[in-house]
Amino acid sequence: MSEPAGRDARGVADELRVNHRVSIPESELVERFSRSSGPGGQHVNTTESRVELVFFPESSRALSWRQREQVLARLSHRISAGALTVVEDGRRSQLANRKQARRRLADLLAEALRPAPPPRRRSGPSAGAKRRRLEDKRHRSAIKRTRGRGRMERE
């Protein structure tokens, strides 16, 4: 029985689809497996279900230089020694953890590659706010005007 094109024997895609323009080939991803902590009992002690997915954006040929700069700038807090690492060990199955790690990495990169929102335009106070401010000034002025007269007439 043959596997569908674009997937390995276990059902994991050959490339990581980030968005409609960018996909990272399998050759640029490094997967490491280790024993996971957490739920699973004896199963956890015998299987390497924890997945560490590593991507090096600086040397990636799948990204243009602009995309590379954008990813490096926006994910600088997550990149250590040039490597963007995603660790997944929430599930008992290595395959499920692999798929989830790939999803998380794709989401991270998609978010980093999303265009920046347009800068906020400063706006002035609304007409109602201006009117209320002027009314308050008139009211305060009237209060202060009445203070002086009362004292002057008594003396």
Side-chain angles (χ1 to χ4, degrees):
M1 193 160 98
S2 67
E3 293 298 318
R7 296 201 175 272
D8 71 3
R10 298 281 313 239
V12 177
D14 287 344
E15 57 181 28
L16 179 68
R17 196 99 171 111
V18 175
N19 57 30
H20 65 281
R21 289 190 197 130
V22 179
S23 42
I24 312 292
E26 181 71 24
S27 60
E28 291 188 10
L29 299 173
V30 178
E31 283 181 319
R32 284 183 281 216
F33 307 102
S34 60
R35 291 188 184 146
S36 174
S37 62
Q42 290 177 342
H43 175 77
V44 139
N45 301 329
T46 58
T47 20
E48 295 191 338
S49 59
R50 180 179 182 268
V51 176
E52 215 175 296
L53 184 61
V54 183
F55 173 63
F56 296 91
E58 233 172 318
S59 60
S60 174
R61 298 178 57 77
L63 302 173
S64 70
W65 67 269
R66 275 198 181 128
Q67 290 171 331
R68 201 172 303 124
E69 293 299 317
Q70 197 171 346
V71 166
L72 291 170
R74 289 190 178 170
L75 296 178
S76 62
H77 63 286
R78 298 240 5 198
I79 295 174
S80 176
L84 176 60
T85 306
V86 174
V87 176
E88 188 62 46
D89 66 350
R91 296 180 174 72
R92 290 181 61 174
S93 152
Q94 185 188 87
L95 178 61
N97 284 334
R98 284 179 75 191
K99 287 181 178 180
Q100 184 61 28
R102 285 166 175 266
R103 243 181 258 124
R104 283 184 47 210
L105 181 62
D107 290 345
L108 267 174
L109 291 172
E111 185 62 36
L113 291 171
R114 195 164 281 133
R120 181 184 175 274
R121 281 196 209 148
R122 293 193 63 186
S123 59
S126 67
K130 286 180 188 175
R131 182 181 42 77
R132 285 189 298 274
R133 184 179 60 83
L134 292 174
E135 283 173 6
D136 189 46
K137 283 177 77 166
R138 274 190 222 101
H139 180 68
R140 287 263 150 237
S141 176
I143 290 172
K144 291 181 178 187
R145 244 193 332 260
T146 58
R147 285 184 193 156
R149 285 191 186 138
R151 205 180 306 151
M152 295 292 262
E153 290 174 9
R154 279 187 249 150
E155 290 178 9

